[in-house]
Amino acid sequence: MSYLDKITSPTLLLDEKICRANIKKMADKAARHQMKLVPHFKTAQSREIGSWAKDYGVKEITVSSIKMAEYLSRDSWENIHIAFPFNPLETGKLDEIAENQPISVQIINTQTAQILSDQLKNPVGFFIEIDAGYGRTGVEVTDFGLIEAILLIAKKSDKLNFKGFYLHPGHTYYMSDIPAIYEESRNALSMLKHKYSTEYPELVTRVGDTPGCAVMEDFGDIDEMGPGNFVFYDLMQAELGGCYKTDIAVCLAVPVVDIKKERNEILVHGGGVHLAKDVLIDEDGNKNFGEVVFLNEEGWVIPEERSHLKSISQEHGLVKASDELLAKVKVGDLLGILPVHSCMTADAMREYMTLDGNFVDHAEGISQ
Amino acid sequence: MSYLDKITSPTLLLDEKICRANIKKMADKAARHQMKLVPHFKTAQSREIGSWAKDYGVKEITVSSIKMAEYLSRDSWENIHIAFPFNPLETGKLDEIAENQPISVQIINTQTAQILSDQLKNPVGFFIEIDAGYGRTGVEVTDFGLIEAILLIAKKSDKLNFKGFYLHPGHTYYMSDIPAIYEESRNALSMLKHKYSTEYPELVTRVGDTPGCAVMEDFGDIDEMGPGNFVFYDLMQAELGGCYKTDIAVCLAVPVVDIKKERNEILVHGGGVHLAKDVLIDEDGNKNFGEVVFLNEEGWVIPEERSHLKSISQEHGLVKASDELLAKVKVGDLLGILPVHSCMTADAMREYMTLDGNFVDHAEGISQ
């Protein structure tokens, strides 16, 4: 029986072969640059996919919430890093996890450093997150006053262990000039490393975005990389040049519920609650919420002529269909949709079906 | 102990009083117009909130997927209507539910009608969904050929029972002229009712959007209304004029993790996986992913000066803060965020906390 026979409702498919190849390729790249790969599991959020990563030498992982850390700590990792400015209200939960699992957090202000120093019962590592131009979060790269105030609090604590500097140049998602952003990131981290390595000879620097980790070949003296999205990739990454569409490891299977040939439109059951609402917008303002692929027993095939979701609402997806697609499809068929942003789609679907019809866990899944 | 003491991570708060007032107001409005209120539970997706609706005379509900129908069928409803073009792959599941729960679906093509007619073992009602200008889904209002082809298949079936015409004028969300859209909708449904009521004297017409149901007072001879969002409302509805911000019944409690006074920015743990990514964009292109309210033991208070989420990513929310807010807030506090689109926020959070600290169920919740 094909996996396709099991599907009656929107289902997130995962091609294990593509996913493993993506992990292997990034692990090889990290090794080639003498960097440690600490993948960000905000994308996969899966213990099983974590076990696949172990096959390629991954020993530490990154997460973006305490909830994810708790879930993934059920497996033994050398370290789990929560790459999010630590929320002091979660100090108790952090302490609980830290009893059995080496864990690190991100600190960007003295208030949080002080609360952790005052309240932690178990040792916890920390990175100082640096903002070198993205503007979302982090200590500004030249704000040595703040960096040293945080380090001073940690120095007086026997629980807070400084690990190094973390930088997420998220503007690689919005600006085309990844090499320029990376030059800035490399320089920022290198400057900090040299400034503080006498006092902290073990300190490491880490960079954390998929677009840069995928396309760059010059990482300077950065020690570690923590990309997340690369395990699945998606249309946004393909547009940024970090992958080919054939590298995308997940695809939403959606039932066809109506066809309007005269308008070249196909209505599918697949909307914002399945894909999330991330969108690519082309130069003419046309929206793309996902692209159609043909499903078969071995997985999916990208059609020659592009068809895409031109609009979505909570449950509805409206496909602008090519003639090729219209000629093949009928009501009651299943189509595949390559997602625009796979992290968000995975979080919305909370479960994966592999091409042999088995289910792979997700941290937010009902079965967990 | 205040409900606030229980919160350490992003939590969706529900003010039961506001929610009940919203339901009561719409039930009163429906009664005033001699219409039946069949609320769309795609928004609340909750058995408990369903029981609140029963207190105001609601006996039938609407849902948007078979999964939601299955979940809500655990309570006894006079009818559950799935307001989504029926997906023929789910005929088996529909039949199972129909064994114990009166249920109806939407049909917009002959293929689906034929499959249901061929395969159903239990009686199922159906509406024909009409498109009178929205363009997302439905039979075009003047396509009598298709309407009659569907009715003919149903007539030969002893399982498919025609209930009437359903119209979702979803363009009330995008265009300001709700009265003009409603005139079109009223005329379309009235024309169809008169054309087919001789043959189907029991047929009813139903309209299904919150903006129209909230602001209109002229429903012509439309028999039923099926709005959904009104149980919670949100910033989008407030912008459309369907509610005041004080009518919004849900709010996301988010921990403050960093404050950048010099930039008037506050970083909170609350992003796309919590709020979803619906956004309001003003005339100058400024984005608004949610607005800040102050939490207290009785619920929340809307500040005099507006602060809003100017950007969100998977877990991060970046607030553009007023001076009033900056003067009050510190790292480790909780703030409330009124959502842009409460249906999507509820679906992302999958659980509610009431102001007495109890949890209310959601169909997609882990505890279900």
Side-chain angles (χ1 to χ4, degrees), chain A residues 28-43:
Chain A
D28 289 348
K29 182 169 190 175
R32 202 161 69 236
H33 291 276
Q34 291 84 48
M35 292 171 81
K36 188 194 278 183
L37 173 62
V38 188
H40 202 318
F41 264 63
K42 77 186 176 82
T43 305

Side-chain angles (χ1 to χ4, degrees), chain B residues 15 72 82 148 178 182 186 234 283 293 305 362 368:
Chain B
D15 187 323
L72 291 162
I82 307 178
E148 284 158 30
I178 298 178
Y182 254 67
R186 275 195 311 270
D234 52 32
E283 285 166 0
V293 292
E305 293 177 47
H362 184 286
Q368 304 323 319

Side-chain angles (χ1 to χ4, degrees), chain B residues 275-293:
Chain B
L275 285 162
K277 290 196 172 171
D278 293 82
V279 59
L280 294 172
I281 305 179
D282 71 14
E283 285 166 0
D284 300 326
N286 300 306
K287 292 180 176 180
N288 174 5
F289 292 93
E291 288 182 17
V292 174
V293 292

Side-chain angles (χ1 to χ4, degrees), chain A residues 8-9 42 64 87 90 93 108-109 135-136 138 255 257-258 260 263 277-278 313-316 348 350, chain B residues 8-9 42 64 87 90 93 108-109 135-136 138 257-258 260 263 277-278 313-316 348 350:
Chain A
T8 58
S9 301
K42 77 186 176 82
S64 56
N87 159 18
E90 292 174 336
K93 285 186 192 169
I108 59 174
N109 55 55
R136 181 177 71 176
V257 297
D258 197 38
K260 286 214 182 352
R263 291 200 220 156
K277 288 196 172 171
D278 292 83
S313 40
Q314 185 168 343
E315 306 264 353
H316 296 74
R350 303 176 184 206
Chain B
T8 58
S9 300
K42 76 186 178 79
S64 56
N87 159 18
E90 292 174 335
K93 286 187 190 168
I108 59 173
N109 56 56
R136 182 177 71 177
V257 298
D258 197 38
K260 286 213 180 354
R263 289 201 220 158
K277 290 196 172 171
D278 293 82
S313 41
Q314 186 166 341
E315 306 265 353
H316 296 73
R350 303 178 183 204

Side-chain angles (χ1 to χ4, degrees), chain B residues 9-64:
Chain B
S9 300
T11 301
L12 187 58
L13 300 175
L14 168 59
D15 187 323
E16 181 177 343
K17 264 192 215 160
I18 301 178
C19 181
R20 282 183 175 269
N22 291 342
I23 300 172
K24 181 175 188 312
K25 195 171 162 197
M26 194 63 84
D28 289 348
K29 181 168 192 176
R32 204 162 65 237
H33 290 276
Q34 289 85 48
M35 293 171 80
K36 187 193 278 181
L37 172 62
V38 188
H40 200 320
F41 263 64
K42 76 186 178 79
T43 304
Q45 300 192 48
S46 168
R47 294 175 65 188
E48 182 162 345
I49 300 173
S51 77
W52 302 352
K54 287 185 181 179
D55 292 342
Y56 306 100
V58 171
K59 293 181 173 142
E60 301 185 22
I61 52 169
T62 308
V63 297
S64 56

